[in-house]
Amino acid sequence: MNPHAGEPLPPLEIPVTRTLIVSGALASRDFQDVHHDAEAAREKGSPDIFMNILTTNGLVGRYVTGWAGPHAALRKVAVRLGVPAYPGDTLALSGRVTAVTYEAPEAPGGESATVEVAVRGAGRLGDHVTGTVTVTLRTAAGQEGASPGEERGAAPADRKDAS
């Protein structure tokens, strides 16, 4: 991968479901009722439950690292929330490389470049999230001892599950 400033990332559309909103809130230990109780959300002025910022951060990070590949390391996610994302919305993520800094060949850990990406996530009401994500790309040589499947968390092919 040889990214360059101005390069667009492929778009990604994520359906915003009740399950995504509730499970994201629970996984991030955000027990605010507006993320899981529609009646409580309405009592507080919202038409329905809505996605929390930690779920949004995770989806933005997933979007950029999915583009950058298995050798990328997420370094910084700086986002600003806009309009809420409600069940039934589709979060349309887009991005563009804004800066690339190539590392010296002797950089530690096989680091090859630091890439900054401007991101936007829009729904039916407008921009849900805007921000910047920074990732460090690594060469395959920087991932010593791991096969491509293991780098992505897959089990080795010859591993047998105990029955």
Side-chain angles (χ1 to χ4, degrees):
M1 167 176 266
N2 291 310
H4 60 278
E7 177 181 341
L9 276 64
L12 175 65
E13 290 191 347
I14 299 172
V16 179
T17 64
R18 287 186 184 283
T19 301
L20 174 64
I21 293 170
V22 173
S23 62
L26 290 174
S28 61
R29 301 180 56 81
D30 183 346
F31 304 117
Q32 293 293 315
D33 54 9
V34 294
H35 302 306
H36 64 84
D37 184 334
E39 184 177 324
R42 283 190 288 278
E43 288 172 3
K44 293 179 178 170
S46 178
D48 206 339
I49 63 172
F50 54 90
M51 191 166 10
N52 73 347
I53 190 168
L54 295 173
T55 303
T56 298
N57 274 350
L59 294 173
V60 167
R62 168 192 165 205
Y63 172 58
V64 174
T65 57
W67 163 79
H71 301 296
L74 196 59
R75 297 294 181 206
K76 180 179 178 185
V77 177
V79 298
R80 181 178 190 96
L81 285 182
V83 300
Y86 294 111
D89 287 351
T90 297
L91 185 60
L93 291 162
S94 60
R96 182 169 302 278
V97 175
T98 56
V100 180
T101 305
Y102 287 96
E103 307 297 335
E106 66 277 358
E111 293 178 3
S112 62
T114 298
V115 181
E116 185 176 282
V117 178
V119 295
R120 175 178 179 244
R124 65 182 161 91
L125 298 176
D127 285 348
H128 170 65
V129 63
T130 55
T132 304
V133 176
T134 304
V135 293
T136 300
L137 304 181
R138 292 180 172 9
T139 62
Q143 301 292 316
E144 298 171 337
S147 71
E150 289 172 313
E151 292 162 15
R152 290 186 285 277
D158 60 347
R159 183 172 145 189
K160 305 249 191 270
D161 291 315
S163 304

